[in-house]
Amino acid sequence: MATEAKKYDYAVRDTHGKIQKGSIEAPSEAAVASRLKDMGLAPVSITEAKTGGLNAEIKIPGLSDRIKLKDIAIMSRQLATMIGAGLSLLRALTILGEQTENPALAKVIQSVRADVEAGVSLSTAMSKHETFPPLMVNMVRAGEVGGFLDTVLESVAQNFEADVKLRGKVKSAMTYPVVVFIIAILAVIGMLLFIVPVFAGMFDSLGGELPFLTKILVVMSDVLKIGIVPLIIGIGVAVYLWNKNKNKVSFREKVEPMYLKAPVFGPLVQKIAVARFTRNLGAMLRAGVPILQSLDIVGQTSGNIVIEKASKDVRESVRTGNSLAKPLAQHEVFPPMVVQMMAVGEDTGALDNMLDKIADFYDDEVEATTEQLTSLIEPLMIAVLGGIVGFMVIALYMPIFGVFELIQ
């Protein structure tokens, strides 16, 4: 009968002499000590972790079990490092499952390890879980066949880290304007629901004719008081319908092309899509994945149906023996520079390197574009919100000028 694993807290001294603390699951303290020594760490103390009460693990539904691309990137790099250092795949997966901070990812890794121990290949074990993108699964499969799994995992980590960095730049640039906008909207709604009615009641008790701007503000307040609940319900329904239909092809064909044609954000979406397409395709070709299979996977993971259709056209062109770059010229999402650089890469036999250069170029373009958008949006937002708040203040205080006359 197998011994039930328990959770242990430990303190260890690393190779640099620094004390590190953490937790691990194992059948006994001896097993913990053995695993820590295998990781090159010197155990200082090992104690069974307390469960329940204040030490109980807090799980937030939909958040605690979320596995991000950053987690996959870290896992890929750690796995590549351990395999490159000479550890067996099973030992590396065991250590990775125990030290991974994300509980959901740890469970997936343990499941993958069990399949590998049963004789299943790593790529096949990964393909059973939606956690691992098809791009990663196919690159790992190519690495297994070619005997350079550690190199492929390193490439996967670099690819995902670049994607995470790109997303981080966009999020950090857009966080401030979005937060300011949300706070301003909430402030306006609060004024309309709670402050305007107080002023309106005071003006009604004094009698007299309200100014036109004040009447507009009072009407807006009355409408919002009646419509706030239907508005919240409508937003909830819209979010539900969006989540339900966002992955349907018919819905994507209507919505996603509009992203690229948006007046301000369209160029940014285009550059992100091109950077992701070229980076993923270059990584897969370098890993030894067949080009037809690479194009099929890159299209599916592009995140935009326009890119996906372009990938299908390129795939058919390559299948019939034609060039890779020629069909891209028929799709406006790919600028002429991208098409020409890919054509040169084909002619020189260095397509993967050329794709990396294109991806790096558009990463820099995305960063510059987000900075420009931020510098443009902030003053516009301040002007618009200042105008709204100014209108409300003027509308509220205009009747006050006539209050003394009404009192007399």
Side-chain angles (χ1 to χ4, degrees):
M1 185 176 178
T3 305
E4 184 180 355
K6 300 178 182 179
K7 190 173 184 180
Y8 291 89
D9 294 328
Y10 63 83
V12 295
R13 193 179 300 277
D14 61 15
T15 54
H16 300 288
K18 296 181 179 179
I19 298 294
Q20 296 182 0
K21 296 182 179 180
S23 59
I24 193 173
E25 289 187 359
S28 63
E29 290 187 14
V32 175
S34 176
R35 291 178 184 178
L36 292 174
K37 290 177 181 178
D38 290 340
M39 296 166 64
L41 303 171
V44 176
S45 66
I46 300 173
T47 56
E48 185 175 345
K50 296 180 180 179
T51 57
L54 296 176
N55 293 314
E57 183 180 2
I58 300 175
K59 294 185 178 180
I60 303 175
L63 185 61
S64 300
D65 56 351
R66 185 181 177 187
I67 301 175
K68 299 180 180 179
L69 184 63
K70 183 179 179 181
D71 299 324
I72 303 297
I74 294 173
M75 169 202 154
S76 302
R77 183 164 296 282
Q78 291 176 339
L79 188 58
T81 301
M82 287 187 282
I83 293 176
L87 273 70
S88 67
L89 181 58
L90 280 176
R91 171 63 69 179
L93 288 171
T94 300
I95 295 172
L96 200 59
E98 293 169 348
Q99 71 179 23
T100 300
E101 295 181 358
N102 189 314
L105 180 58
K107 290 181 180 179
V108 173
I109 294 173
Q110 290 166 4
S111 176
V112 170
R113 184 201 175 282
D115 288 340
V116 172
E117 191 174 18
V120 178
S121 67
L122 178 61
S123 58
T124 303
M126 285 182 168
S127 65
K128 297 180 180 180
H129 304 274
E130 295 182 358
T131 299
F132 304 108
L135 181 143
M136 181 180 183
V137 173
N138 283 273
M139 287 180 67
V140 168
R141 183 174 289 118
E144 289 175 321
V145 173
F148 45 89
L149 181 59
D150 56 337
T151 304
V152 166
L153 287 169
E154 185 77 21
S155 179
V156 170
Q158 292 175 354
N159 188 59
F160 288 166
E161 285 168 355
D163 201 358
V164 169
K165 184 179 179 181
L166 183 65
R167 296 182 184 183
K169 289 178 181 177
V170 176
K171 288 181 180 178
S172 62
M174 296 300 168
T175 297
Y176 174 75
V178 170
V179 170
V180 171
F181 179 75
I182 293 174
I183 292 176
I185 293 297
L186 293 176
V188 170
I189 292 174
M191 289 181 68
L192 289 174
L193 288 177
F194 303 107
I195 297 177
V196 172
V198 174
F199 277 81
M202 181 180 68
F203 298 148
D204 288 339
S205 64
L206 294 174
E209 184 71 17
L210 292 176
F212 179 71
L213 291 180
T214 309
K215 289 181 179 179
I216 294 177
L217 199 61
V218 172
V219 170
M220 290 173 60
S221 176
D222 293 338
V223 171
L224 187 61
K225 283 190 290 185
I226 299 173
I228 186 66
V229 174
L231 178 63
I232 294 174
I233 294 174
I235 293 174
V237 171
V239 171
Y240 169 77
L241 293 175
W242 174 269
N243 292 329
K244 184 179 180 181
N245 298 303
K246 64 180 181 181
N247 294 323
K248 294 182 178 179
V249 176
S250 57
F251 183 78
R252 293 179 61 201
E253 287 179 343
K254 296 177 182 178
V255 175
E256 291 182 0
M258 292 170 24
Y259 296 164
L260 300 172
K261 297 178 181 179
V264 177
F265 295 95
L268 177 62
V269 174
Q270 179 188 14
K271 291 171 183 176
I272 293 174
V274 172
R276 183 177 296 169
F277 173 84
T278 52
R279 184 187 303 108
N280 291 346
L281 183 58
M284 297 199 75
L285 293 178
R286 191 182 306 104
V289 181
I291 188 169
L292 291 178
Q293 188 176 357
S294 299
L295 288 168
D296 190 28
I297 295 167
V298 168
Q300 294 174 8
T301 59
S302 63
N304 192 291
I305 201 164
V306 177
I307 299 287
E308 189 173 338
K309 288 182 177 180
S311 298
K312 290 180 181 179
D313 290 347
V314 174
R315 190 171 183 270
E316 293 304 316
S317 175
V318 174
R319 186 194 295 275
T320 56
N322 295 321
S323 68
L324 178 71
K326 186 177 179 181
L328 294 180
Q330 302 174 5
H331 296 270
E332 295 181 359
V333 68
F334 293 100
M337 184 200 76
V338 175
V339 178
Q340 294 299 323
M341 289 182 70
M342 290 180 66
V344 172
E346 277 188 292
D347 295 338
T348 59
L351 181 59
D352 55 341
N353 292 330
M354 193 64 73
L355 288 167
D356 287 341
K357 291 181 180 179
I358 296 172
D360 292 339
F361 172 79
Y362 277 99
D363 282 347
D364 295 337
E365 283 288 299
V366 168
E367 185 174 3
T369 303
T370 51
E371 290 177 357
Q372 292 173 0
L373 283 175
T374 303
S375 61
L376 176 65
I377 290 173
E378 287 181 7
L380 287 176
M381 185 176 295
I382 291 172
V384 172
L385 296 177
I388 294 174
V389 174
F391 162 76
M392 295 181 69
V393 171
I394 292 172
L396 286 174
Y397 280 92
M398 282 181 68
I400 295 179
F401 300 136
V403 166
F404 295 107
E405 297 181 2
L406 292 174
I407 293 175
Q408 294 173 357

